[in-house]
Amino acid sequence: MPSIREFAGALNCSVITVRRVYQDLENESLLRTKQGTGTFVAQVEAGDRENYRLKAAQEAMQAAVQSGKSVGCTEEEMESLFREVLKAIYAK
């Protein structure tokens, strides 16, 4: 992986932002940092990849449902919206 400074420059964003992303990915065991050598993508087992993929989707769905609930949507409305969005995306 590029260095934090190099990546921030290429993305035209803050070094702090890139550092946080690298740290989050390292905390999730997706990156490995070796002092003086650099940052590398970690070798991830197939089962771990599957768990990560499903967890990411679940967290995104939880956030969407929480947003709907906070504006007063009922469970039935949320289910209907979910089905509409699902059909629209998978119809492409």
Side-chain angles (χ1 to χ4, degrees), residues 28-49:
E28 293 178 25
S29 299
L30 297 173
L31 289 182
R32 300 269 190 259
T33 300
K34 294 184 180 182
Q35 188 75 19
T37 307
T39 302
F40 304 90
V41 176
Q43 188 135 17
V44 181
E45 299 295 324
D48 292 337
R49 274 194 302 268

Side-chain angles (χ1 to χ4, degrees), residues 9-91:
L11 296 173
N12 200 21
C13 72
S14 167
V15 169
I16 295 168
T17 301
V18 175
R19 182 178 295 129
R20 285 182 186 154
V21 171
Y22 272 39
Q23 185 62 51
D24 288 347
L25 292 172
E26 194 167 355
N27 290 342
E28 293 178 25
S29 299
L30 297 173
L31 289 182
R32 300 269 190 259
T33 300
K34 294 184 180 182
Q35 188 75 19
T37 307
T39 302
F40 304 90
V41 176
Q43 188 135 17
V44 181
E45 299 295 324
D48 292 337
R49 274 194 302 268
E50 182 69 10
N51 289 339
Y52 180 79
R53 184 179 68 85
L54 293 175
K55 182 180 175 189
Q58 181 181 25
E59 288 173 358
M61 289 166 119
Q62 285 174 327
V65 170
Q66 195 61 43
S67 293
K69 185 177 179 184
S70 72
V71 296
C73 291
T74 65
E75 188 174 330
E76 292 78 20
E77 289 172 322
M78 292 300 295
E79 285 181 16
S80 177
L81 288 170
F82 176 76
R83 291 181 198 292
E84 285 177 31
V85 170
L86 197 61
K87 285 180 185 176
I89 289 174
Y90 280 95

